Amino acid sequence: MNKGRCRAAILISGSGTNLQAFIDRAARGNLDVDLSLVISNRPDAYGLERASHAGIETACVEHGGFTDRESFDRALAARLDEHRPDLIILAGFMRILSPWFVDHYEGRILNIHPALLPAYPGLDTHQRVLEAGDHWHGSTVHFVTEQLDGGPRVLQGRLPVNSEESAAELARRVQAVEHQIYPEAAGWFAGGRLRYRDGCAWLDGDRLDEPIVMDFD
Ligand code: GAR
């Protein structure tokens, strides 16, 4: 890691409410991470506007212009590496990353996924939780490996499911949880408390065989 504060780049594809949570924490002086760059793969991602308003440099690398996944990822990495990021924060970045990209930033990519992994990897998690009649749902911060939504889990925010609610309402509640847990976990990394080693997540020197769980209403 570079000397000094942790330099982070955030990758987005859409609205960027998680990005906003990082911006808001930074504005309150409550984030040990320097948000140096936001990149979207979609030019119309609202998160780019959020970043610009906050004075963060933005870029767009459109995936449509590349013939294969790794070519796109190499172009993305070229932009990222200009900023020498210590940490890559995936915040609603809806692209599967190539093995090359994951290896290039090994142990330095965090993702947030809207489910209590290993349950419900992939898409439409809220609808699937409601259809299954689950009592608990939430979100997981994890290190990114080649396995989709399968890297070592760090922190989960858990909340009870209300069987009467719609998938949209449940999604809104889960996102509110994400806005709490993602800056928290990134802060652990920035402070040197959280690391990836030997394929595992380590917090304060202890291997996390299970993620830390925070309960919400
Ligand atoms: C978040 O809920 C995040 O968990 C999810 O996309 C949303 C982005 O929202 N990510 C994934 O589904 C990745 N598999 P945001 O743009 O408002 O932060």
Side-chain angles (χ1 to χ4, degrees):
M1 188 146 120
N2 299 320
K3 263 193 154 178
R5 278 166 63 89
C6 175
R7 293 169 58 83
I10 302 194
L11 302 187
I12 60 166
S13 296
S15 167
T17 64
N18 277 283
L19 163 66
Q20 189 67 52
F22 279 91
I23 291 170
D24 292 346
R25 271 232 199 176
R28 294 198 300 268
N30 199 10
L31 188 73
D32 286 339
V33 176
D34 282 334
L35 305 173
S36 68
L37 176 66
V38 171
I39 302 185
S40 171
N41 63 314
R42 296 184 179 279
D44 58 349
Y46 182 61
L48 289 173
E49 283 185 42
R50 296 180 190 272
S52 294
H53 282 140
I56 303 169
E57 186 174 331
T58 63
C60 180
V61 184
E62 287 190 67
H63 59 273
F66 297 88
T67 50
D68 62 86
R69 199 174 290 285
E70 189 175 311
S71 306
F72 168 74
D73 283 1
R74 284 181 182 270
L76 189 60
R79 290 306 302 267
L80 287 167
D81 287 345
E82 290 168 15
H83 283 252
R84 295 175 288 100
D86 300 304
L87 176 62
I88 313 281
I89 297 170
L90 307 184
F93 185 63
M94 304 308 275
R95 296 278 310 168
I96 294 173
L97 295 167
S98 63
W100 178 84
F101 189 94
V102 173
D103 183 58
H104 188 66
Y105 298 107
E106 190 191 24
R108 290 190 287 147
I109 314 174
L110 289 175
N111 182 42
I112 192 155
H113 179 77
L116 297 173
L117 291 170
Y120 305 108
L123 300 174
D124 300 326
T125 57
H126 313 297
Q127 187 63 39
R128 288 155 67 202
V129 163
L130 288 172
E131 283 170 6
D134 289 359
H135 296 299
W136 294 96
H137 187 32
S139 191
T140 306
V141 179
H142 65 96
F143 280 108
V144 171
T145 62
E146 283 185 31
Q147 195 188 347
L148 183 65
D149 298 329
R153 297 164 301 155
V154 173
L155 177 59
Q156 291 186 325
R158 193 172 68 152
L159 80 184
V161 176
N162 170 1
S163 57
E164 309 286 292
E165 70 193 323
S166 66
E169 174 63 12
L170 184 54
R172 192 193 60 71
R173 291 174 61 224
V174 168
Q175 280 207 328
V177 168
E178 295 187 329
H179 302 160
Q180 302 291 319
I181 65 172
Y182 208 3
E184 186 74 23
W188 293 348
F189 185 94
R193 296 179 56 196
L194 175 67
R195 283 294 176 263
Y196 173 91
R197 199 173 69 238
D198 303 330
C200 301
W202 299 74
L203 185 64
D204 297 329
D206 293 328
R207 197 176 68 202
L208 285 178
D209 293 324
E210 293 295 329
I212 306 293
V213 178
M214 290 182 180
D215 281 320
F216 294 83
D217 294 332

